[in-house]
Amino acid sequence: MRPVPTACALCPRRCKADRTRERGFCGGGAQVRVARAALHLWEEPCLSGTRGSGTVFFSGCTLRCCYCQNWRISAENFGRDVSVPHLADIFLRLQAQSAHNINLVTPTQYLPWILDALELAKPRLTVPIVYNTGGYETLETVRRLDGVVDVWLTDLKYVSGELSARYSGAPDYFAVASQAVRAMCEQAGPPRFDENGLLQKGVIVRHLALPGGMDDTRAVLEFLAEKLPKGGFLTSLMSQYTPFYRAKEHKALSRRISTYEYRRAVDLAVELGLTDGYMQQRSSAKEEYTPPFDLEGVL
């Protein structure tokens, strides 16, 4: 088993916490903590398919997004500590439930434990591994996952350092995430699908359009079109923003995105040639699309 970090540098914050004795900036301690493990039908169609993506939601987060829809687990650290063998069993149990993939949601704060669990499960684990991240990843993390992760499901939230500092507590977000997503594309290569249209290898880059944030959305989409390999990734332009958690402390975030704003974002993506991927229906901006966190499947 890999050692518990005693000067944690798993994420770009490199908070140096001794995880054997204290929790890091992310909320992570000496054991992996899981909030939910269940089939999920609301990921991109090439991941959810007809049977669902086998999602494992890890507690804590390396970002501090004031509008996080999963704030109960990211900010309040809701969940239950599980052993590495138990985590491996969770992966196998989801596969036995006919999950199309194993989807690791906000996993980086528990990377050593996850790698150990995947090694234990590997002889019987046959479905793709999806790494579902906010994009705030070090190059070291991306490189450690070479040969382990099949599909990178990553956000690119901001270009503006002002916005990323104000809304997510990470002024260096774009500097970090832009390097990481380039490395993900290089590592995974162009998207590859099976005969049923399910993604087996590749990168999906998500961008959540925020109310009043069109200038930054434009900058994100221009980066994707100009700096990433053409045909080398899928774009997922999301309209589901809902003012969760502490969003209403920021006037601009106190409402949902308008139809006009999202239409402008979609039109720009098309103009830039970002047509490989998904454009979300505005009906997705509803609270019922947020999964319940009740420790389902963790025990």
Side-chain angles (χ1 to χ4, degrees):
M1 295 293 180
R2 292 166 176 80
V4 176
T6 54
C8 194
L10 292 174
C11 86
R13 297 188 189 275
R14 305 184 192 276
C15 71
K16 305 299 183 185
D18 181 350
R19 298 274 293 272
T20 66
R21 305 172 59 182
E22 60 183 331
R23 296 196 177 277
F25 177 92
C26 61
Q31 278 190 281
V32 62
R33 177 168 283 201
V34 176
R36 177 178 166 86
L39 298 179
H40 189 46
L41 289 166
W42 301 110
E43 301 289 34
E44 284 75 4
C46 65
L47 297 178
S48 289
T50 57
R51 300 193 301 268
S53 178
T55 51
V56 183
F57 287 83
F58 294 92
S59 305
C61 188
T62 62
L63 290 171
R64 287 289 182 269
C65 299
C66 64
Y67 50 84
C68 181
Q69 66 178 14
N70 298 335
W71 58 270
R72 190 178 178 202
I73 67 170
S74 65
E76 296 189 349
N77 216 27
F78 173 82
R80 179 164 296 170
D81 292 342
V82 300
S83 67
V84 166
H86 189 174
L87 183 59
D89 183 64
I90 288 171
F91 297 156
L92 293 169
R93 198 183 320 162
L94 288 168
Q95 179 177 261
Q97 293 171 10
S98 299
H100 292 300
N101 46 66
I102 302 301
N103 187 342
L104 310 173
V105 184
T106 319
T108 295
Q109 61 271 22
Y110 292 112
L111 182 59
W113 296 262
I114 291 169
L115 289 172
D116 285 339
L118 287 171
E119 282 188 6
L120 285 177
K122 188 175 181 180
R124 291 179 287 163
L125 201 59
T126 59
V127 295
I129 303 300
V130 179
Y131 206 82
N132 189 335
T133 167
Y136 195 54
E137 303 289 354
T138 66
L139 290 177
E140 292 92 336
T141 291
V142 179
R143 289 166 183 154
R144 286 181 74 179
L145 290 165
D146 192 8
V148 177
V149 167
D150 300 293
V151 176
W152 290 95
L153 178 57
T154 185
D155 290 340
L156 192 60
K157 297 177 183 291
Y158 318 97
V159 168
S160 166
E162 179 186 354
L163 289 185
S164 62
R166 185 189 313 158
Y167 295 155
S168 296
D172 61 342
Y173 177 86
F174 180 71
V176 170
S178 59
Q179 290 190 66
V181 72
R182 284 190 181 104
M184 293 170 191
C185 289
E186 181 178 345
Q187 186 185 103
R192 299 206 300 271
F193 301 86
D194 70 5
E195 64 277 9
N196 297 311
L198 296 169
L199 188 62
Q200 303 296 295
K201 194 84 174 174
V203 179
I204 301 175
V205 184
R206 286 173 164 173
H207 175 66
L208 177 65
L210 296 175
M214 185 58 201
D215 287 346
D216 202 54
T217 287
R218 176 182 292 277
V220 168
L221 296 178
E222 288 177 346
F223 169 82
L224 297 181
E226 297 169 6
K227 303 299 183 183
L228 296 189
K230 186 172 179 58
F233 63 99
L234 302 173
T235 305
S236 183
L237 185 56
M238 304 173 74
S239 63
Q240 70 184 49
Y241 173 79
T242 304
F244 282 106
Y245 189 37
R246 299 173 59 184
K248 291 183 180 178
E249 296 176 8
H250 302 272
K251 184 177 180 180
L253 297 182
S254 62
R255 61 174 176 85
R256 293 177 178 173
I257 188 170
S258 69
T259 300
Y260 173 72
E261 287 173 311
Y262 187 62
R263 188 71 253 167
R264 284 180 64 202
V266 169
D267 289 346
L268 178 59
V270 172
E271 287 172 17
L272 292 170
L274 297 171
T275 54
D276 292 337
Y278 306 95
M279 306 297 175
Q280 195 175 51
Q281 298 294 321
R282 283 198 68 254
S283 60
S284 300
K286 295 180 179 178
E287 294 188 14
E288 54 261 40
Y289 290 105
T290 302
F293 295 110
D294 53 10
L295 299 178
E296 178 184 340
V298 176
L299 295 176

